[in-house]
Short mmCIF file of all heavy atoms in Angstrom, two decimals:
data_model
loop_
_atom_site.label_atom_id
_atom_site.label_comp_id
_atom_site.label_asym_id
_atom_site.label_seq_id
_atom_site.Cartn_x
_atom_site.Cartn_y
_atom_site.Cartn_z
N ILE A 408 0.84 -1.20 0.00
CA ILE A 408 0.00 0.00 0.00
C ILE A 408 0.88 1.25 0.00
O ILE A 408 0.65 2.18 -0.78
CB ILE A 408 -0.95 0.03 1.22
CG1 ILE A 408 -2.01 -1.07 1.11
CG2 ILE A 408 -1.62 1.40 1.36
CD1 ILE A 408 -2.83 -1.24 2.37
N MET A 409 1.89 1.27 0.88
CA MET A 409 2.76 2.44 0.95
C MET A 409 3.49 2.67 -0.37
O MET A 409 3.58 3.81 -0.85
CB MET A 409 3.76 2.32 2.10
CG MET A 409 3.13 2.48 3.46
SD MET A 409 4.28 2.71 4.81
CE MET A 409 5.30 1.27 4.69
N TYR A 410 4.01 1.60 -0.96
CA TYR A 410 4.71 1.74 -2.24
C TYR A 410 3.77 2.31 -3.31
O TYR A 410 4.10 3.28 -3.99
CB TYR A 410 5.29 0.40 -2.69
CG TYR A 410 5.72 0.43 -4.13
CD1 TYR A 410 6.86 1.14 -4.51
CD2 TYR A 410 4.99 -0.20 -5.11
CE1 TYR A 410 7.25 1.19 -5.84
CE2 TYR A 410 5.36 -0.14 -6.43
CZ TYR A 410 6.50 0.56 -6.80
OH TYR A 410 6.86 0.62 -8.10
N HIS A 411 2.58 1.72 -3.43
CA HIS A 411 1.65 2.17 -4.47
C HIS A 411 1.17 3.60 -4.22
O HIS A 411 1.06 4.39 -5.16
CB HIS A 411 0.47 1.21 -4.59
CG HIS A 411 0.85 -0.10 -5.19
ND1 HIS A 411 1.21 -0.25 -6.51
CD2 HIS A 411 0.96 -1.33 -4.65
CE1 HIS A 411 1.51 -1.51 -6.76
NE2 HIS A 411 1.37 -2.19 -5.65
N ASP A 412 0.92 3.95 -2.96
CA ASP A 412 0.50 5.32 -2.65
C ASP A 412 1.62 6.32 -2.94
O ASP A 412 1.38 7.42 -3.43
CB ASP A 412 0.05 5.45 -1.20
CG ASP A 412 -1.32 4.83 -0.95
OD1 ASP A 412 -1.97 4.37 -1.92
OD2 ASP A 412 -1.74 4.78 0.23
N ALA A 413 2.86 5.94 -2.63
CA ALA A 413 3.99 6.82 -2.89
C ALA A 413 4.17 7.03 -4.39
O ALA A 413 4.39 8.15 -4.85
CB ALA A 413 5.27 6.25 -2.28
N VAL A 414 4.06 5.96 -5.17
CA VAL A 414 4.18 6.09 -6.62
C VAL A 414 3.06 6.97 -7.17
O VAL A 414 3.29 7.82 -8.02
CB VAL A 414 4.19 4.70 -7.30
CG1 VAL A 414 4.03 4.82 -8.81
CG2 VAL A 414 5.48 3.97 -6.96
N SER A 415 1.85 6.79 -6.67
CA SER A 415 0.73 7.63 -7.11
C SER A 415 1.01 9.10 -6.81
O SER A 415 0.74 9.98 -7.64
CB SER A 415 -0.57 7.20 -6.42
OG SER A 415 -0.95 5.93 -6.84
N HIS A 416 1.56 9.36 -5.65
CA HIS A 416 1.90 10.74 -5.28
C HIS A 416 2.97 11.30 -6.20
O HIS A 416 2.89 12.45 -6.63
CB HIS A 416 2.34 10.81 -3.82
CG HIS A 416 2.75 12.18 -3.40
ND1 HIS A 416 1.84 13.19 -3.20
CD2 HIS A 416 3.98 12.72 -3.18
CE1 HIS A 416 2.49 14.30 -2.86
NE2 HIS A 416 3.78 14.04 -2.85
N TRP A 417 4.01 10.50 -6.48
CA TRP A 417 5.07 10.96 -7.38
C TRP A 417 4.51 11.29 -8.76
O TRP A 417 4.88 12.28 -9.38
CB TRP A 417 6.18 9.92 -7.52
CG TRP A 417 6.95 9.65 -6.27
CD1 TRP A 417 7.25 10.54 -5.28
CD2 TRP A 417 7.51 8.40 -5.87
NE1 TRP A 417 7.96 9.92 -4.29
CE2 TRP A 417 8.14 8.61 -4.63
CE3 TRP A 417 7.53 7.14 -6.44
CZ2 TRP A 417 8.78 7.60 -3.95
CZ3 TRP A 417 8.19 6.13 -5.76
CH2 TRP A 417 8.80 6.36 -4.54
N ARG A 418 3.63 10.42 -9.26
CA ARG A 418 3.03 10.66 -10.57
C ARG A 418 2.19 11.92 -10.56
O ARG A 418 2.22 12.72 -11.50
CB ARG A 418 2.19 9.47 -11.00
CG ARG A 418 3.03 8.29 -11.39
CD ARG A 418 2.17 7.12 -11.78
NE ARG A 418 3.01 5.98 -12.14
CZ ARG A 418 2.66 4.73 -12.03
NH1 ARG A 418 1.45 4.43 -11.58
NH2 ARG A 418 3.48 3.77 -12.38
N TRP A 419 1.41 12.11 -9.50
CA TRP A 419 0.59 13.31 -9.40
C TRP A 419 1.48 14.55 -9.37
O TRP A 419 1.22 15.53 -10.05
CB TRP A 419 -0.27 13.26 -8.14
CG TRP A 419 -1.15 14.46 -8.00
CD1 TRP A 419 -2.39 14.64 -8.52
CD2 TRP A 419 -0.84 15.67 -7.31
NE1 TRP A 419 -2.87 15.87 -8.20
CE2 TRP A 419 -1.93 16.54 -7.45
CE3 TRP A 419 0.27 16.12 -6.59
CZ2 TRP A 419 -1.95 17.81 -6.90
CZ3 TRP A 419 0.25 17.38 -6.04
CH2 TRP A 419 -0.85 18.22 -6.20
N ARG A 420 2.55 14.50 -8.56
CA ARG A 420 3.46 15.64 -8.44
C ARG A 420 4.13 15.95 -9.78
O ARG A 420 4.34 17.11 -10.11
CB ARG A 420 4.53 15.35 -7.39
CG ARG A 420 4.65 16.44 -6.38
CD ARG A 420 5.66 16.16 -5.32
NE ARG A 420 6.98 15.98 -5.87
CZ ARG A 420 7.92 15.25 -5.33
NH1 ARG A 420 7.70 14.63 -4.21
NH2 ARG A 420 9.10 15.14 -5.88
N ARG A 421 4.47 14.90 -10.52
CA ARG A 421 5.12 15.10 -11.81
C ARG A 421 4.19 15.85 -12.77
O ARG A 421 4.63 16.69 -13.54
CB ARG A 421 5.52 13.75 -12.40
CG ARG A 421 6.15 13.86 -13.76
CD ARG A 421 6.57 12.51 -14.25
NE ARG A 421 7.99 12.39 -13.98
CZ ARG A 421 8.65 11.27 -13.98
NH1 ARG A 421 8.03 10.14 -14.22
NH2 ARG A 421 9.93 11.24 -13.75
N ARG A 422 2.90 15.55 -12.71
CA ARG A 422 1.94 16.21 -13.59
C ARG A 422 1.61 17.63 -13.12
O ARG A 422 1.14 18.44 -13.89
CB ARG A 422 0.64 15.41 -13.66
CG ARG A 422 0.73 14.18 -14.50
CD ARG A 422 -0.64 13.57 -14.74
NE ARG A 422 -1.41 13.34 -13.53
CZ ARG A 422 -1.51 12.17 -12.91
NH1 ARG A 422 -0.87 11.13 -13.37
NH2 ARG A 422 -2.24 12.06 -11.82
N HIS A 423 1.81 17.93 -11.86
CA HIS A 423 1.41 19.22 -11.29
C HIS A 423 2.62 19.99 -10.77
O HIS A 423 2.58 20.54 -9.67
CB HIS A 423 0.39 19.00 -10.16
CG HIS A 423 -0.86 18.37 -10.63
ND1 HIS A 423 -1.04 17.01 -10.67
CD2 HIS A 423 -2.01 18.91 -11.12
CE1 HIS A 423 -2.24 16.73 -11.14
NE2 HIS A 423 -2.85 17.86 -11.42
N ARG A 424 3.65 20.03 -11.55
CA ARG A 424 4.85 20.76 -11.13
C ARG A 424 4.67 22.26 -11.31
O ARG A 424 3.89 22.71 -12.14
CB ARG A 424 6.05 20.31 -11.95
CG ARG A 424 6.50 18.95 -11.58
CD ARG A 424 7.83 18.67 -12.16
NE ARG A 424 8.23 17.36 -11.65
CZ ARG A 424 9.38 16.82 -11.88
NH1 ARG A 424 10.27 17.44 -12.60
NH2 ARG A 424 9.68 15.65 -11.39
N GLU A 425 5.47 22.99 -10.54
CA GLU A 425 5.46 24.43 -10.71
C GLU A 425 6.19 24.78 -12.00
O GLU A 425 7.04 24.03 -12.48
CB GLU A 425 6.16 25.10 -9.53
CG GLU A 425 5.43 24.90 -8.22
CD GLU A 425 6.14 25.55 -7.04
OE1 GLU A 425 7.00 26.42 -7.29
OE2 GLU A 425 5.83 25.20 -5.92
N THR A 426 5.89 25.95 -12.54
CA THR A 426 6.54 26.36 -13.77
C THR A 426 7.90 26.98 -13.46
O THR A 426 8.11 27.55 -12.39
CB THR A 426 5.68 27.37 -14.54
OG1 THR A 426 5.40 28.47 -13.68
CG2 THR A 426 4.38 26.73 -15.00
N SER A 427 8.80 26.88 -14.42
CA SER A 427 10.15 27.41 -14.25
C SER A 427 10.14 28.93 -14.32
O SER A 427 9.28 29.54 -14.97
CB SER A 427 11.07 26.86 -15.33
OG SER A 427 11.13 25.48 -15.26
N THR A 428 11.13 29.53 -13.69
CA THR A 428 11.30 30.98 -13.75
C THR A 428 12.52 31.27 -14.61
O THR A 428 13.34 30.39 -14.89
CB THR A 428 11.50 31.58 -12.35
OG1 THR A 428 12.66 31.00 -11.77
CG2 THR A 428 10.29 31.32 -11.48
N ALA A 429 12.68 32.52 -15.00
CA ALA A 429 13.81 32.90 -15.85
C ALA A 429 15.14 32.70 -15.13
O ALA A 429 16.11 32.24 -15.70
CB ALA A 429 13.66 34.35 -16.30
N ALA A 430 15.17 33.06 -13.85
CA ALA A 430 16.41 32.92 -13.08
C ALA A 430 16.15 31.99 -11.91
O ALA A 430 15.14 32.11 -11.22
CB ALA A 430 16.87 34.28 -12.58
N PRO A 431 17.06 31.04 -11.67
CA PRO A 431 16.85 30.15 -10.53
C PRO A 431 16.97 30.92 -9.21
O PRO A 431 17.69 31.91 -9.13
CB PRO A 431 17.97 29.12 -10.67
CG PRO A 431 19.01 29.78 -11.51
CD PRO A 431 18.30 30.75 -12.38
N PRO A 432 16.27 30.46 -8.19
CA PRO A 432 16.36 31.14 -6.89
C PRO A 432 17.75 30.94 -6.28
O PRO A 432 18.45 29.98 -6.59
CB PRO A 432 15.30 30.45 -6.05
CG PRO A 432 15.09 29.14 -6.70
CD PRO A 432 15.39 29.32 -8.16
#
């Protein structure tokens, strides 16, 4: 369960990433 939930979270995060900025912080 933990493995599958973690993978689901990683996939969700990959699809909902923040956009890049011109200069890195």
Side-chain angles (χ1 to χ4, degrees):
I408 291 170
M409 288 193 303
Y410 166 72
H411 289 291
D412 285 356
V414 168
S415 294
H416 177 73
W417 294 327
R418 287 179 181 152
W419 181 88
R420 231 178 61 208
R421 178 178 261 164
R422 285 191 308 262
H423 297 90
R424 288 193 176 185
E425 295 180 17
T426 56
S427 300
T428 60

